[in-house]
Amino acid sequence: MSLIAEAIRVRYGGREVLQGVDLAAEAGHVTAIVGPNGSGKSTLLGALTATLPHEGRVRLNGRDIAGMKPWELAAERAVLPQASRLAFPFRVLEVVRLGQQAGTAGDRPDVPLQALARVGLAHHADRTFQDLSGGEAQRVMLARVLAQVWAPVEEGRPRWLLLDEPVSSLDIAHQLQVMEIARRFARAGGGVIAVMHDLNLTALFADRVAVLAEGRLLATGTPRTVLTDTILSRAYGCALRVSAPPPEDVPYILPHAASA
Amino acid sequence: MAALTDVQAPPRDRLSRARALHWALAAALVLASAASLEVGATDVRLSALLAKLVQGEALGQMERIVLLDIRLPRLAMGLLVGAALAVSGAVMQGLFRNPLADPGIVGVGAGAGLGAILAIVLGGLLPVWARDLAGNQLVPVAAFLGGWGSTLLLYRVATRGGRTSVATMLLAGIALGALAGALSGILVYIADDQQLRDLTFWGLGSLAGASWAKVAAAGPMIALALGAAVLLGRALNGLALGEATAAHIGIDVQRMKAVAILAVAGATGAAVAVSGGIGFVGIVVPHLLRLASGPDHRTLLPNAALLGATLLILADVIARVVIAPAELPIGIVTAILGAPVFLWILLRRRGLVDG
Ligand SMILES: Nc1ncnc2c1ncn2[C@@H]1O[C@H](COP(=O)(O)OP(=O)(O)OP(=O)(O)O)[C@@H](O)[C@H]1O
Ligand SMILES: [Mg+2]
């Protein structure tokens, strides 16, 4: 089972922001989308989730999403947006329930708290969402998304997590925690697509990497084949060297070296 | 990382509190209704009448008329209008994702008013068959259309890519209200004497003209709008997360918005058509309920109907007793009670407008 996008084009006004992007993500894998600011990563996610009008075809577990109702899509995949603002003073647990009700585990009373526990926030269940710190809010939104697709595989069909920069405002420990959650979801048979800016975490946790630059796909493959000097330097427009320790005596901290 | 003990302590559940509140509010509505039947300009008292009935005495002609043809329709209209105003406020706030959005404040009430005045003044120009077809629904339907048009326009102006600019919404509301008010003013000039009397009566925002005919005119549309609104609970909860996320959790956002706008226009239009512009119910009621039991629209909407009806009936009782035997227009009472609450909301959360 897979999530396959073919020849995706998206236009904003006259400007073509995605110029025919193909992407194939397999269930069981963590697929990372990387690329510079404005390269079209969130836009691609918008097309994959049927939120943006686009040309081209997207098939989710073999079905064209163009013919699927919002609630059918919600049962198969959950989406974490890059930023969220909540309009009314909902409590943390209530926010997670909003996600849960959209999925197929909607009637299990234990799921929301378990989802919160997974992101390390069960003790904040009673707090008002609007009062949370940026990182806490991001993790609550992840819990909401997890509660929606609680079982990575259901009736033989994988569920999908589509995450737009899931670790962007997290400290290093929680970055690792969240990436570990994504990996476990994939290992259990679910599909994960994550837009990433942190190339080290991408190298550590992604099974496949797609590099986007200026609305086109520059490269796809395993982290080993894609995260190279040439490709990264071209994508980001600055000279980058992979696996090169800094020349001077400055400390550097890599997630690779962390242990739980 | 999370201790597992956290999982075992279930947090307090506001949903059950909101459901308990439901029954408390229903009881309050019954009490307010009794009060509304009890007091009035004439010395007819519900309690005395009930005592009479218990003793097997028949009611006098006058008592009958006061109770059945004056107070009861007035109570029914207060109930309908109060529920309609509070629910349309709550729906509009959910739709615009802002607790300050209220049909009265953002010009939708004025738009509905313009529709109603058009129907009152120019309705006579319609061909007879059309007037017969519309029957007692002519003024409510015209008010609904006016409210609908102004809600659509407001939504267009204030919302870009699923995000509402609060400043734009409030300012556009002022402009819309002024425009509708000016057009209504022109119509007042060309109205004849009888129409003028209708208009003044109506424009003050009052339940004084209550009759069974008006209840019958507004009732069906309000019932329809409230029924539609109450179905929107889950969708409006989702919309609180933003339009894109609402779609991601399975909500048909376009359809939901269309239904919400129709419900707001229907409830506001019918309420305005029979009672004029009664302000602040739509903003105060949902706000109090959010404080009491949280913002979950699945319970907020039905509770708003109950509390709105209760408060409007009580405001009407106040309007009838403070300067008895004369009475105040109810719009004055709701403004005196409601405007300070509105300012208090602003004071507590300045970020609502700047943010
Ligand atoms: N609603 C919009 N209207 C016009 N242009 C837009 C809109 N949304 C995005 N764009 C433009 O499309 C391009 C791609 O945006 P997108 O959000 O997909 O970038 P991104 O790769 O996610 O960037 P980032 O890393 O900063 O999140 C950008 O140049 C952006 O300015
Ligand atoms: Mg982005």
Side-chain angles (χ1 to χ4, degrees):
Chain A
M1 288 286 171
S2 53
L3 201 169
I4 298 172
E6 285 164 4
I8 302 298
R9 289 170 186 279
V10 175
R11 225 171 253 129
Y12 284 127
R15 206 157 66 89
E16 200 167 54
V17 174
L18 286 183
Q19 308 172 9
V21 172
D22 299 311
L23 184 80
E26 292 293 327
H29 283 171
V30 174
T31 304
I33 302 174
V34 301
N37 291 142
S39 55
K41 305 180 297 296
S42 297
T43 305
L44 179 57
L45 222 54
L48 295 181
T49 57
T51 3
L52 280 181
H54 58 270
E55 283 172 40
R57 215 155 69 117
V58 179
R59 272 177 302 153
L60 175 64
N61 292 340
R63 279 180 76 185
D64 192 331
I65 62 166
M68 291 171 75
K69 297 285 179 206
W71 50 91
E72 293 175 323
L73 285 165
E76 303 233 336
R77 59 101 182 93
V79 186
L80 181 73
Q82 189 168 354
S84 324
R85 270 177 59 181
L86 192 59
F88 296 102
F90 283 93
R91 298 226 178 114
V92 165
L93 192 74
E94 294 167 344
V95 170
V96 178
R97 284 212 189 104
L98 290 180
Q100 186 202 7
Q101 285 153 9
T104 43
D107 45 2
R108 282 183 48 190
D110 55 320
V111 167
L113 266 183
Q114 282 192 37
L116 278 174
R118 213 175 270 189
V119 299
L121 286 174
H123 55 298
H124 282 340
D126 251 348
R127 289 185 54 195
T128 302
F129 178 84
Q130 289 160 332
D131 296 342
L132 297 178
S133 78
E136 288 168 345
Q138 198 175 19
R139 280 149 62 206
V140 169
M141 283 301 167
L142 180 67
R144 165 179 73 72
V145 165
L146 288 175
Q148 185 179 337
V149 287
W150 188 242
V153 180
E154 233 171 301
E155 292 165 3
R157 289 164 73 79
R159 296 290 182 262
W160 290 81
L161 283 175
L162 278 66
L163 313 172
D164 197 348
E165 301 193 23
V167 298
S168 56
S169 38
L170 304 187
D171 65 69
I172 186 161
H174 286 112
Q175 289 183 343
L176 288 165
Q177 182 191 29
V178 164
M179 293 313 296
E180 193 57 51
I181 290 172
R183 172 183 276 163
R184 266 197 282 158
F185 188 86
R187 293 298 171 266
V192 179
I193 296 181
V195 172
M196 298 289 295
H197 274 310
D198 189 314
L199 297 175
N200 285 314
L201 287 173
T202 305
L204 264 179
F205 286 95
D207 301 297
R208 291 282 180 282
V209 183
V211 185
L212 215 57
E214 293 175 352
R216 288 174 197 282
L217 203 62
L218 205 63
T220 49
T222 61
R224 212 173 279 281
T225 56
V226 168
L227 301 179
T228 63
D229 295 0
T230 343
I231 294 177
L232 293 180
S233 300
R234 246 186 81 199
Y236 290 97
C238 81
L240 290 171
R241 285 173 57 213
V242 174
S243 305
E248 292 156 46
D249 187 24
V250 276
Y252 60 100
I253 298 98
L254 292 177
H256 307 56
S259 49
Chain B
M1 305 294 117
L4 274 173
T5 48
D6 288 341
V7 183
Q8 279 145 19
R12 277 176 303 136
D13 195 340
R14 289 198 288 191
L15 204 60
S16 48
R17 181 151 29 124
R19 296 211 170 106
L21 192 60
H22 194 71
W23 295 108
L25 289 172
L29 179 57
V30 172
L31 291 179
S33 304
S36 163
L37 294 177
E38 177 82 5
V39 303
T42 53
D43 192 30
V44 174
R45 303 253 165 269
L46 177 68
S47 44
L49 297 188
L50 287 180
K52 252 186 171 181
L53 283 179
V54 169
Q55 288 160 14
E57 288 178 46
L59 297 185
Q61 173 79 359
M62 211 267 286
E63 292 166 335
R64 222 173 242 284
I65 290 176
V66 169
L67 194 65
L68 296 183
D69 292 335
I70 298 178
R71 293 207 190 141
L72 212 51
R74 186 153 179 162
L75 168 63
M77 216 164 93
L79 196 146
L80 283 171
V81 169
L85 293 176
V87 170
S88 55
V91 172
M92 192 144 189
Q93 286 143 31
L95 178 69
F96 282 83
R97 307 181 65 220
N98 191 283
L100 296 181
D102 171 69
I105 288 170
V106 296
V108 174
L114 175 61
I117 294 181
L118 267 173
I120 292 173
V121 176
L122 301 181
L125 302 180
L126 286 177
V128 179
W129 64 263
R131 257 181 295 158
D132 284 349
L133 189 70
N136 67 355
Q137 296 292 311
L138 180 63
V139 178
V141 167
F144 159 74
L145 291 176
W148 188 47
S150 37
T151 313
L152 281 179
L153 193 65
L154 188 74
Y155 195 84
R156 271 288 168 76
V157 173
T159 308
R160 279 276 147 72
R163 290 196 48 182
T164 301
S165 152
V166 186
T168 316
M169 174 189 80
L170 294 175
L171 292 174
I174 292 174
L176 261 177
L179 184 64
L183 294 176
S184 305
I186 296 175
L187 287 167
V188 168
Y189 270 101
I190 59 174
D192 64 32
D193 274 357
Q194 174 56 42
Q195 290 166 344
L196 214 53
R197 258 192 301 278
D198 285 355
L199 287 180
T200 5
F201 208 48
W202 170 88
L204 287 170
S206 171
L207 296 178
S211 63
W212 284 120
K214 284 192 178 174
V215 170
M221 195 185 288
I222 289 179
L224 214 66
L226 294 190
V230 167
L231 294 180
L232 289 171
R234 199 179 88 84
L236 289 175
N237 283 346
L239 195 63
L241 291 161
E243 261 187 48
T245 300
H248 294 152
I249 61 174
I251 288 152
D252 187 338
V253 176
Q254 292 312 320
R255 195 175 66 183
M256 179 260 279
K257 286 198 290 197
V259 173
I261 288 174
L262 285 172
V264 167
T268 309
V272 166
V274 292
S275 65
I278 298 176
F280 295 103
V281 178
I283 201 148
V284 169
V285 167
H287 191 76
L288 292 177
L289 287 172
R290 276 188 215 104
L291 285 179
S293 59
D296 190 325
H297 290 88
R298 291 170 304 171
T299 51
L300 178 66
L301 293 168
N303 282 348
L306 290 170
L307 184 59
T310 306
L311 288 186
L312 199 71
I313 289 169
L314 288 179
D316 184 47
V317 170
I318 294 176
R320 279 188 282 161
V321 297
V322 278
I323 54 164
E327 61 174 73
L328 281 173
I330 192 172
I332 291 180
V333 179
T334 60
I336 286 177
L337 298 177
V341 179
F342 181 73
L343 290 174
W344 172 61
I345 299 173
L346 282 179
L347 210 63
R348 276 181 68 236
R349 298 190 46 201
R350 282 165 197 277
L352 284 179
V353 179
D354 306 329

